[in-house]
Amino acid sequence: VIVAFVGGLVLLAKNVGIPQVGVSSIHMPALDLKSEGPLPIDISASFWIYNPNLLFHGTILEAAATVYSLDKDNSSGPAILLGKAELGGDEQVNVDANTNTTFTVSFKGEISANTTKERLVRDCTEENGKTRIGVKIDRVHVSLIGHDFGNISIGKEIAATVPCPPKPKVEEVKQATWSEAYLAV
């Protein structure tokens, strides 16, 4: 019996690993830099979790992160708070044993600070512009093997260079201008 118990503990210890978390992509689909007043901004970040465990599985019930604008030209420049991002509504993420799972956290907000607008105008007005976004995973509410562990503070910070949304093509701008001129007559 003791040999079986020790053998079971060795097997369990051999199959227990710490899950790894990373970011697959950060996407900003649209940004109107010519808008007066607050600029609406949408950002979605796709994360992955690799669970190396053969025996353990879990569920992410909730996740919250803080999103920042970072200075792409000055790594010691200030991080400017954009807002909070969360796992969508009633969405839960199942993390099965020995798998790599991907999920998305979305952020929708408005930029009102002039310094943030100036940074995004500087970064995104050039052709194929890129800006830098920081995401800090604040907390994750998890359930492992059916046991609710509540909110776990993570504090992992991820910085990524993100392509700015594409600008309208010249033809689209001309077409809009001609339509507006027609409507004005």
Side-chain angles (χ1 to χ4, degrees):
V1 173
I2 292 176
V3 172
F5 180 72
V6 170
L9 286 177
V10 168
L11 180 65
L12 181 64
K14 185 178 178 187
N15 289 307
V16 173
I18 297 173
Q20 299 170 354
V21 179
V23 65
S24 303
S25 66
I26 299 177
H27 180 66
M28 188 173 19
L31 184 63
D32 180 6
L33 294 172
K34 294 182 180 174
S35 175
E36 293 295 322
L39 300 175
I41 186 168
D42 294 343
I43 299 173
S44 61
S46 293
F47 292 92
W48 56 264
I49 297 177
Y50 171 63
N51 180 10
N53 297 295
L54 297 175
L55 304 174
F56 300 110
H57 59 88
T59 303
I60 300 173
L61 303 170
E62 294 178 68
T66 305
V67 181
Y68 298 93
S69 170
L70 303 175
D71 192 327
K72 74 173 186 176
D73 298 327
N74 180 2
S75 61
S76 61
I80 301 170
L81 176 68
L82 294 176
K84 296 283 185 182
E86 294 186 355
L87 192 61
D90 295 333
E91 185 179 345
Q92 295 182 351
V93 179
N94 292 319
V95 181
D96 292 326
N98 198 31
T99 60
N100 193 13
T101 304
T102 303
F103 64 97
T104 302
V105 175
S106 299
F107 166 75
K108 292 181 187 279
E110 291 184 339
I111 299 169
S112 56
N114 287 336
T115 52
T116 310
K117 281 185 183 179
E118 290 169 8
R119 181 179 288 170
L120 289 172
V121 166
R122 179 197 70 200
D123 292 351
C124 292
T125 53
E126 61 191 48
E127 188 66 31
N128 298 320
K130 293 181 167 104
T131 192
R132 199 132 168 91
I133 299 291
V135 178
K136 179 182 173 206
I137 304 170
D138 298 319
R139 66 176 169 75
V140 178
H141 183 166
V142 297
S143 169
L144 296 175
I145 315 173
H147 180 72
D148 190 338
F149 281 85
N151 287 323
I152 299 172
S153 295
I154 303 284
K156 181 174 177 75
E157 295 187 30
I158 299 165
T161 301
V162 181
C164 295
K167 293 168 204 49
K169 294 179 181 159
V170 174
E171 303 86 43
E172 293 173 3
V173 173
K174 284 181 183 176
Q175 188 176 30
T177 306
W178 289 40
S179 298
E180 291 167 6
Y182 177 75
L183 292 173
V185 173

